[in-house]
Amino acid sequence: MTSNINIMGGVKSLKDIDVTGKKVLIRVDFNVPMDAQFNISDDSRIRAALPTINYCIDHNACSITLVSHLGRPKGGYDERYSLTHIQKRLERLLQKRVEFIDDFETLKRENTQCSIERIFLFENIRFYEGEKKNDPAFCKQLGDLCDVYVNDAFGTSHRRDASTYGIADYVDTKVAGFLMMREIEAFTKALENPIHPIALVVGGSKISTKITLLTSVMQKVDKLIIGGAMSNTFLQALGYDMKASLVEADFVETAKAVLAEAKQYKVKVYLPVDVVITDSIEHPIDVKVVPVQDVLDGFHAVDIGPATLKLFSEAVELSNTIIWNGPMGIYEINQFSKGTYKLATIISESYAYSIVGGGDTVDAVEKAGEKEKFSFISTGGGASLELLEGKILPGFEKLDRKS
């Protein structure tokens, strides 16, 4: 695999420029979970952006404009996704006044009246059609708001949107924020300068979403540990009948090819030897543990079994670098969460450098109460996946490079 992570490492960060007296636009990721009353249930993404924002405040930026998306609005304004629900929490965390602005004209007018410590929070950028279309006129509108563009939204940097990609064509100075740099440094350590043996733990529901990852890292890793529903497709490829379990029939041959490639590169592959099965995922009545060759008719495999957990545990405990992307089962349902949660504990307590990527995996690790024990928790799902695949993220392509 030819990795591009080192190329990304040459990107300039905030520390490489002077923001004094400058109008700074920071693309942050405030896409946080909220309940029906708009109460934020997890503000970790907001907290993750604070070092970058505070640096601009401490170094006397003329104004700071924060741009983010929230959720997936279907065109135009939708109160459920308004960033006005973020304003108060952000003010408490920054201990500064934050001005919420919901239209370009007001933002442009206020932004020209430059003064120290003026912080603007712009309305959800996805309320504007030009964002997802990466419309040049919209990109220029964004670019005209600032002297300096800072991309600190790692979680959306795999998208060619106006605020993560196109804006860079209309700003003279464009750099990475501190969160973005930490992400790159973590993946660099895991893939460019790792301590062997390296174990890649992959799970989730589908092999189709991870096939590029599996093939691209084959020459980098020593062990490939496969769980979750995607392991069903591999087991089917080995001749096991997984009955009613989720199997991607169109990818059985692909799974065979992955296993063959692993053998070619002498990568040790670990697959479940037993699974938790149930007669119904939504309304389980009959739940039991069986060897993978004994899945019952009409039953679904929903978690790894205890023998598999022991097998996987031995594999990760003898590894010095562990990269994990994807849960081991349907962890959202308590009865089917044990495999994922117990593996989280085992990895977190190992002496290995451990990195977690992917929204579901991070959520599972947090619910298992082990988040603080991992070496690095990535804030990006699709972005971390593409970085592991060795791709240059669009959000990095146009940022300034160190000479």
Side-chain angles (χ1 to χ4, degrees):
M1 162 181 150
T2 302
S3 173
N4 293 309
I5 292 179
N6 275 337
I7 296 174
M8 293 184 191
V11 166
K12 282 188 177 180
S13 79
L14 260 179
K15 285 187 177 179
D16 298 311
I17 64 169
D18 182 10
V19 298
T20 304
K22 302 288 179 64
K23 292 182 290 184
V24 181
L25 186 150
I26 308 174
R27 180 40 163 110
V28 291
D29 184 2
F30 289 168
N31 186 29
V32 296
M34 292 186 291
D35 62 21
Q37 287 73 46
F38 308 118
N39 296 307
I40 298 170
S41 55
D42 180 2
D43 64 3
S44 56
R45 286 187 174 179
I46 301 175
R47 291 176 182 274
L50 297 182
T52 292
I53 300 170
N54 280 321
Y55 182 90
C56 293
I57 294 171
D58 294 342
H59 288 76
N60 302 320
C62 173
S63 67
I64 301 166
T65 300
L66 304 175
V67 173
S68 180
H69 73 286
L70 177 62
R72 296 181 178 180
K74 303 295 183 182
Y77 178 81
D78 186 331
E79 187 190 2
R80 291 175 298 170
Y81 304 118
S82 175
L83 285 182
T84 188
H85 307 306
I86 305 291
Q87 182 185 10
K88 294 301 180 186
R89 180 67 62 89
L90 181 59
E91 285 185 327
R92 282 205 299 272
L93 292 172
L94 283 174
Q95 296 185 326
K96 302 282 184 184
R97 181 176 177 235
V98 175
E99 302 172 56
F100 178 77
I101 297 181
D102 61 4
D103 70 277
F104 266 105
E105 289 306 313
T106 303
L107 180 57
K108 190 172 183 178
R109 183 178 66 251
E110 294 297 320
N111 210 13
T112 58
Q113 301 170 17
C114 221
S115 63
I116 301 300
E117 285 192 14
R118 200 150 184 213
I119 306 168
F120 305 110
L121 175 63
F122 192 50
E123 180 58 286
N124 191 338
I125 197 68
R126 287 189 182 170
F127 286 170
Y128 296 86
E129 281 188 13
E131 167 69 356
K132 296 301 293 179
K133 292 180 179 179
N134 192 33
D135 177 66
F138 187 72
C139 294
K140 187 176 187 307
Q141 254 188 308
L142 285 170
D144 287 344
L145 294 170
C146 63
D147 306 308
V148 175
Y149 167 69
V150 181
N151 191 342
D152 208 31
F154 176 76
T156 58
S157 286
H158 60 305
R159 303 187 186 281
R160 283 182 165 81
D161 294 341
S163 66
T164 58
Y165 182 72
I167 182 177
D169 290 331
Y170 301 93
V171 185
D172 289 336
T173 304
K174 48 265 186 187
V175 298
F178 298 134
L179 170 62
M180 185 79 82
M181 295 309 296
R182 284 203 308 275
E183 294 273 1
I184 296 304
E185 288 164 4
F187 283 100
T188 297
K189 184 174 179 179
L191 288 176
E192 292 299 318
N193 305 298
I195 303 174
H196 289 267
I198 308 169
L200 174 63
V201 183
V202 287
S205 59
K206 297 179 179 180
I207 181 179
S208 55
T209 61
K210 305 277 174 73
I211 186 60
T212 306
L213 169 64
L214 294 175
T215 55
S216 62
V217 302
M218 201 64 77
Q219 296 179 54
K220 290 269 186 180
V221 303
D222 304 291
K223 305 173 187 179
L224 181 57
I225 300 168
I226 305 172
M230 67 180 293
S231 66
N232 297 332
T233 304
F234 282 92
L235 292 168
Q236 192 97 348
L238 293 174
Y240 297 104
D241 186 350
M242 299 308 292
K243 305 299 183 180
S245 306
L246 176 62
V247 172
E248 290 183 280
D250 293 342
F251 284 85
V252 169
E253 292 304 315
T254 303
K256 289 180 181 178
V258 169
L259 294 173
E261 188 177 6
K263 187 174 182 180
Q264 176 189 346
Y265 290 109
K266 295 182 172 56
V267 175
K268 175 69 174 173
V269 178
Y270 297 82
L271 285 164
V273 291
D274 64 344
V275 287
V276 176
I277 61 172
T278 181
D279 57 339
S280 171
I281 295 173
E282 292 80 15
H283 307 286
I285 296 174
D286 196 356
V287 179
K288 57 188 72 183
V289 176
V290 297
V292 292
Q293 61 266 38
D294 293 335
V295 178
L296 302 176
D297 286 334
F299 277 65
H300 314 260
V302 289
D303 193 10
I304 56 173
T308 300
L309 181 64
K310 189 173 189 303
L311 175 69
F312 286 5
S313 298
E314 290 172 352
V316 298
E317 285 170 352
L318 295 174
S319 301
N320 288 319
T321 303
I322 304 167
I323 305 165
W324 185 11
N325 186 293
M328 297 293 100
I330 309 176
Y331 76 95
E332 299 92 340
I333 299 174
N334 188 50
Q335 285 176 278
F336 314 139
S337 65
K338 290 180 182 177
T340 300
Y341 290 172
K342 287 182 179 178
L343 187 63
T345 299
I346 290 162
I347 294 176
S348 71
E349 291 179 349
S350 73
Y351 291 103
Y353 178 77
S354 54
I355 182 168
V356 175
D360 286 344
T361 323
V362 174
D363 181 53
V365 165
E366 185 161 15
K367 287 179 177 175
E370 305 293 353
K371 188 175 180 180
E372 301 304 318
K373 297 180 186 176
F374 279 79
S375 305
F376 188 79
I377 301 287
S378 175
T379 59
S384 64
L385 204 58
E386 292 199 8
L387 203 56
L388 285 171
E389 291 168 5
K391 296 177 181 177
I392 294 180
L393 301 179
F396 261 73
E397 281 182 24
K398 298 183 179 182
L399 298 183
D400 296 337
R401 290 321 200 257
K402 295 177 182 177
S403 56

